[in-house]
Amino acid sequence: MFKKIKALDKRLILFIGILLGLIFTVASAETLHYTDSAEFCSTCHPMDTAYSSFSDSIHANLDCNTCHAPTDNFVEKILFKSKAGLHDIYMNTLNVDEIPDVIHAKAATVEVVQENCVSCHENSINNVSHNVKSTCVECHRQVPHGKKDKIKSEQLYEPGTYNIKGINESRRE
């Protein structure tokens, strides 16, 4: 068999190698993208309530792992997703009876979520004093997995009142 491969034209071998490399790259990218989606995450996690509230939130156009996995380093993201995936496989095969109805983030996930909040909302954080709690989630727990009746994006532009530097003003169009 090795002699048959050696007898092939080197350009054909190069073409086949490039084609297989391209197919592998596209398949890997699509797989990674799919495993970030809520559709994929919901196959293991009992997250009907979280997904329902998420789909109505301002963040609904994001993938789960935009917030729930490291985004600054590809290798770190893959390692984080692999560890979480192995835990989920274990829980969904051997410990099904121990899966809680509501899944709470572990310390590592809280840290990652905090880093991702800051990376997306850095300008807001720099312009507003945030010295009350240690993480964004402590005050903004309802974003994006909150109650169904929370403020929708179109409601953000309705007239209202707000307090700026101690001055109570009406919101103007």
Side-chain angles (χ1 to χ4, degrees):
M1 182 169 150
F2 187 68
K3 288 180 183 180
K4 288 181 181 180
I5 293 174
K6 229 177 169 183
L8 290 174
D9 184 16
K10 292 190 189 311
R11 288 179 289 186
L12 179 62
I13 293 172
L14 180 64
F15 175 75
I16 291 171
I18 290 172
L19 183 64
L20 289 175
L22 231 116
I23 290 169
F24 177 76
T25 301
V26 170
S28 296
E30 287 299 314
T31 299
L32 288 173
H33 177 69
Y34 177 69
T35 59
D36 283 346
S37 71
E39 292 78 23
F40 177 79
C41 295
S42 66
T43 60
C44 291
H45 294 292
M47 54 184 268
D48 292 339
T49 304
Y51 180 74
S52 175
S53 63
F54 165 75
S55 63
D56 288 340
S57 80
I58 293 169
H59 291 86
N61 62 332
L62 302 176
D63 289 326
C64 295
N65 284 327
T66 301
C67 296
H68 291 277
T71 56
D72 58 341
N73 182 314
F74 180 74
V75 174
E76 192 177 322
K77 178 179 181 173
I78 296 301
L79 291 173
F80 188 89
K81 285 176 66 170
S82 298
K83 182 179 175 186
L86 288 172
H87 177 264
D88 294 341
I89 289 170
Y90 168 74
M91 289 300 288
N92 285 293
T93 56
L94 301 175
N95 272 357
V96 176
D97 296 335
E98 294 182 30
I99 298 174
D101 291 334
V102 178
I103 298 173
H104 296 283
K106 294 182 174 116
T109 302
V110 170
E111 185 178 318
V112 166
V113 169
Q114 175 65 17
E115 289 173 10
N116 290 334
C117 288
V118 170
S119 72
C120 287
H121 299 286
E122 188 171 8
N123 289 335
S124 299
I125 292 168
N126 290 336
N127 291 322
V128 179
S129 176
H130 288 89
N131 56 2
V132 178
K133 303 286 183 175
S134 61
T135 66
C136 300
V137 176
E138 288 182 55
C139 290
H140 301 279
R141 187 170 303 281
Q142 303 300 331
V143 179
H145 300 294
K147 298 175 182 171
K148 291 287 263 181
D149 59 350
K150 65 184 173 293
I151 295 176
K152 304 285 189 280
S153 59
E154 61 272 3
Q155 292 172 305
L156 293 174
Y157 301 104
E158 292 177 4
T161 59
Y162 54 94
N163 194 353
I164 297 176
K165 295 182 184 176
I167 302 170
N168 193 6
E169 297 182 2
S170 286
R171 205 170 169 183
R172 294 179 190 95
E173 294 290 320

